[in-house]
Amino acid sequence: DLENGREVLHINQVAIEEEAKRQQIIREFGQFIKMFQSDGIYVYRNQLQSRLRRREFWLLLDVADLEQYDSTLLALLQEKPIVYIPIFEEAIRQFIIENRMELFSSPNLYSNVDTMNENSIDLNGENSADNGLGRFGNGFSPPIQLTLRSDQMPRPLRYLNASHVSKLLKVSGIVTSAKMTCAKAISLCYQCTVCHTVKRLVAVGRSEEHTSE
């Protein structure tokens, strides 16, 4: 029993340390989005505001910008993209929630973006009267997709080996075939046929949010 207790304690400690590391990366990438500038322009803050207004829930990241800001973050992304891309996407989502008032109500911070009107960001598809915040005013943000762009030299396919499996690489070549895309639900709605209770499930990265009515 003592050994089992020690093993459980060790597992819990590892889980706590991994979550602490995850939260630290979320904070660091959020700071990158908030603070990175090019020629005096806040590149990713402006891009987020512009895309959200057009209901485009994705962010284009130039890996050279991330390398310039923090090469450690880029190294994590390149070594384990399947792990860190969802974490970076969660960082973007949290940044939107935490900075929603600035993103939607302070156009002076973004001089190259026009002022939003009060109905322009209603994510429910209904009119909103909360200064353009829509569901963001309730701490909500839809899942955000991170898209990458790189000007690095591509790696020839003939030089790829087992050490490159699951790594983030840039390659050149001609696509000869591709599988059809698969639909993935980002929100589901269930209704009980007996009591008519409605339950909604919103997928956010690897976590889930449940609401009932």
Side-chain angles (χ1 to χ4, degrees), residues 6 10 35 63 87 91 95 115 117 127 148 151 160 167 172 176 198 212:
R6 289 175 177 172
H10 174 70
M35 303 305 298
V63 296
I87 293 177
F95 175 82
T115 305
N117 63 57
N127 291 332
L148 304 176
D151 293 328
L160 297 183
K167 303 291 180 63
S172 62
T176 58
V198 176
S212 299

Side-chain angles (χ1 to χ4, degrees), residues 62-78:
D62 191 322
V63 296
D65 292 341
L66 187 59
E67 183 177 27
Q68 177 184 338
Y69 181 83
D70 189 339
S71 59
T72 302
L73 287 176
L74 178 60
L76 292 174
L77 184 64
Q78 291 176 325

Side-chain angles (χ1 to χ4, degrees), residues 12 32 37 45 52 55 64 80 119 121 125 127 134 160 196:
N12 289 340
F32 164 74
Q37 296 184 54
R45 282 161 49 174
L52 289 172
R55 301 170 186 259
K80 296 182 178 180
N119 297 321
I121 193 64
N127 291 332
L160 297 183
H196 303 293

Side-chain angles (χ1 to χ4, degrees), residues 53 55 104 114-122 127-134:
R53 178 178 305 165
R55 301 170 186 259
F104 304 125
D114 295 332
T115 305
M116 297 182 67
N117 63 57
E118 65 178 9
N119 297 321
S120 59
I121 193 64
D122 177 15
N127 291 332
S128 174
D130 52 3
N131 297 323
L133 292 178

Side-chain angles (χ1 to χ4, degrees), residues 15-184:
I16 292 172
E17 292 175 355
E18 289 180 348
E19 179 59 22
K21 180 180 179 181
R22 178 178 178 273
Q23 292 301 324
Q24 178 64 24
I25 294 171
I26 287 175
R27 287 191 295 271
E28 292 175 357
F29 191 70
Q31 280 298 108
F32 164 74
I33 296 171
K34 184 175 183 178
M35 303 305 298
F36 183 81
Q37 296 184 54
S38 178
D39 297 327
I41 297 174
Y42 290 99
V43 178
Y44 296 100
R45 282 161 49 174
N46 285 6
Q47 184 188 153
L48 265 179
Q49 187 186 44
S50 179
R51 292 196 187 282
L52 289 172
R53 178 178 305 165
R54 300 194 301 266
R55 301 170 186 259
E56 296 175 358
F57 303 119
W58 58 280
L59 180 72
L60 178 61
L61 170 66
D62 191 322
V63 296
D65 292 341
L66 187 59
E67 183 177 27
Q68 177 184 338
Y69 181 83
D70 189 339
S71 59
T72 302
L73 287 176
L74 178 60
L76 292 174
L77 184 64
Q78 291 176 325
E79 286 296 313
K80 296 182 178 180
I82 196 172
V83 173
Y84 289 103
I85 285 179
I87 293 177
F88 284 16
E89 291 175 338
E90 175 62 17
I92 301 169
R93 195 182 74 89
Q94 289 191 19
F95 175 82
I96 294 171
I97 294 173
E98 293 169 2
N99 297 274
R100 59 189 181 274
M101 295 302 296
E102 294 182 3
L103 285 171
F104 304 125
S105 302
S106 300
N108 290 335
L109 292 177
Y110 311 92
S111 58
N112 62 335
V113 182
D114 295 332
T115 305
M116 297 182 67
N117 63 57
E118 65 178 9
N119 297 321
S120 59
I121 193 64
D122 177 15
L123 299 180
N124 286 323
E126 302 170 353
N127 291 332
S128 174
D130 52 3
N131 297 323
L133 292 178
R135 291 178 65 184
F136 287 98
N138 298 322
F140 171 86
S141 171
I144 303 295
Q145 180 182 356
L146 179 66
T147 304
L148 304 176
R149 177 177 62 197
S150 174
D151 293 328
Q152 297 173 338
M153 291 294 293
R155 186 183 298 270
L157 292 174
R158 66 172 64 91
Y159 295 128
L160 297 183
N161 54 50
S163 66
H164 298 115
V165 174
S166 299
K167 303 291 180 63
L168 182 64
L169 302 169
K170 181 178 180 180
V171 299
S172 62
I174 300 173
V175 177
T176 58
S177 65
K179 295 181 180 179
M180 295 184 63
T181 57
C182 297
K184 179 181 178 182

